[in-house]
Amino acid sequence: MKDTLNKAFNQLIDKLESWFTAIVENIPNLLLAIIVMAGSYFVAKYVSKIVNKLIEKRVSQKSISNMISRLSAIIVVGVGLFLALGILNLSKMLTSLLAGAGVAGLAIGLALQGTLSNTFAGIVLSFRKKIQIGNWVETNGYSGKVIDINLKDFTLREADNNTVVIPNKMILENPLKNYSLTTKMRVFLNCGVSYDSDLEEVERLTKETIANKFDQINDPEEVEFYYTEFGDSSINYLCRFWIDAESMLEKLKAKTKAIIEIKKAYDKAGISIPFPMRTLEFNTKLSLEDSNLNNKYSNN
């Protein structure tokens, strides 16, 4: 029993001595690895600041620049970690870390497929010059002002002040109409006048009214006027004109103003805008015979 204990104690001493010897022999490598890790940490902070400044010049979204700068810092620290493990001759651990990172990355990618697609779509949208915060756009059945573009979603504020949040992936996969890319918009106005109206006078008065009420129109001939059909109760026409506007809200305001001014001009000139009328007649006098017949069918 005593010999067994002495043997085990000697083995423990030998093991500790071998560990101590290995530590002493690897102290230079350990110090170098620590220096590499510390240096990679400070280099990562410096690289992160530089990347952040460069991205902020191209991207208006703070969240995008922060994310890219943090990714660059993580990459620098990761390179420093791999170099430190190589200095310590931990190649097997380095290989295991790479394999584990690959498996973990695949699992995370599959689990967060939708989130990652929205994230990458948000990055792409942030670099697009044709889509900026403050633009008035129409996409996915919604129309409004762009108030935010982040890594998850695309946010619009509609004309009725409702907020619409759309996943970034849907913005990239569907058409988008940006009204703010041009400084002019065309207003379409449909109306009709009575059959006894002087059609030439209606055309002249309509063009003149539009030209006088919108400063950007200098000549009535700039207003387009076309009769379109003989309607049931009126002769219908289409009036088109350009306005200086960048949003649908301004277009709606211009159309409202045009309708009001045309109505005033027509009233003053005695031109009527007909509308269909329907008369409903209710006859509640039922004969006794019809009443008895209905009761007979209902009893059956």
Side-chain angles (χ1 to χ4, degrees):
M1 184 65 179
K2 184 177 180 180
D3 293 337
T4 304
L5 291 176
N6 289 333
K7 185 179 180 180
F9 180 75
N10 291 331
Q11 289 178 353
L12 178 61
I13 295 298
D14 292 339
K15 181 63 72 174
L16 291 175
E17 287 178 353
S18 64
W19 285 355
F20 180 75
T21 303
I23 291 173
V24 172
E25 290 177 351
N26 287 285
I27 283 178
N29 292 339
L30 181 61
L31 293 176
L32 183 59
I34 293 173
I35 292 173
V36 169
M37 285 299 302
S40 65
Y41 174 75
F42 288 106
V43 171
K45 292 181 65 176
Y46 182 72
V47 170
S48 177
K49 291 181 180 179
I50 294 178
V51 172
N52 197 10
K53 290 181 180 179
L54 293 175
I55 297 299
E56 283 182 344
K57 294 179 180 180
R58 298 291 303 275
V59 182
S60 59
Q61 285 75 28
K62 187 69 175 176
S63 59
I64 302 296
S65 59
N66 289 338
M67 185 207 67
I68 297 177
S69 62
R70 288 172 183 170
L71 285 177
S72 63
I74 291 173
I75 292 173
V76 172
V77 172
V79 171
L81 175 62
F82 291 149
L83 290 176
L85 292 175
I87 292 171
L88 293 174
N89 297 321
L90 299 175
S91 57
K92 292 184 178 180
M93 183 179 292
L94 181 61
T95 305
S96 300
L97 284 175
L98 289 173
V103 174
L106 179 61
I108 293 173
L110 292 175
L112 301 177
Q113 184 176 3
T115 302
L116 291 176
S117 62
N118 284 324
T119 299
F120 286 112
I123 295 174
V124 174
L125 290 174
S126 298
F127 282 96
R128 282 192 172 181
K129 294 183 179 180
K130 293 184 178 181
I131 305 176
Q132 300 291 330
I133 292 178
N135 291 165
W136 191 280
V137 302
E138 181 178 336
T139 180
N140 291 278
Y142 299 98
S143 177
K145 182 179 180 182
V146 181
I147 60 175
D148 187 30
I149 304 175
N150 54 48
L151 296 180
K152 295 184 299 182
D153 44 55
F154 188 90
T155 307
L156 297 178
R157 178 177 289 124
E158 295 184 299
D160 56 3
N161 206 37
N162 284 328
T163 301
V164 181
V165 180
I166 307 173
N168 291 327
K169 181 176 64 174
M170 295 182 63
I171 301 298
L172 287 183
E173 294 177 351
N174 293 281
L176 182 143
K177 183 188 293 186
N178 193 338
Y179 294 97
S180 300
L181 293 180
T182 58
T183 58
K184 297 185 70 176
M185 299 183 72
R186 174 172 278 182
V187 179
F188 293 79
L189 184 62
N190 294 283
C191 189
V193 294
S194 60
Y195 274 88
D196 58 355
S197 301
D198 185 342
L199 299 184
E200 293 181 350
E201 175 64 16
V202 169
E203 179 180 355
R204 184 198 65 78
L205 182 61
T206 303
K207 288 183 175 182
E208 187 177 281
T209 301
I210 297 296
N212 292 336
K213 297 303 177 180
F214 291 90
D215 297 334
Q216 61 267 29
I217 302 176
N218 300 319
D219 187 355
E221 295 303 320
E222 297 180 18
V223 182
E224 297 183 31
F225 186 97
Y226 307 101
Y227 286 105
T228 57
E229 63 177 348
F230 292 97
D232 294 335
S233 57
S234 63
I235 298 178
N236 300 324
Y237 68 79
L238 169 65
C239 180
R240 302 190 299 188
F241 58 96
W242 293 95
I243 60 170
D244 294 333
E246 297 182 4
S247 72
M248 284 296 295
L249 185 59
E250 295 177 15
K251 182 179 179 179
L252 289 174
K253 290 180 179 179
K255 188 172 184 178
T256 300
K257 179 180 179 181
I259 291 175
I260 293 174
E261 297 301 330
I262 288 175
K263 179 64 167 57
K264 289 181 179 179
Y266 285 2
D267 290 344
K268 187 175 181 180
I271 299 173
S272 62
I273 302 176
F275 55 91
M277 299 181 64
R278 177 177 297 174
T279 302
L280 300 179
E281 181 177 349
F282 297 93
N283 185 4
T284 59
K285 296 180 179 180
L286 298 176
S287 63
L288 182 59
E289 182 180 352
D290 292 338
S291 178
N292 293 333
L293 184 61
N294 290 334
N295 290 333
K296 179 179 179 182
Y297 280 122
S298 63
N299 291 331
N300 293 334

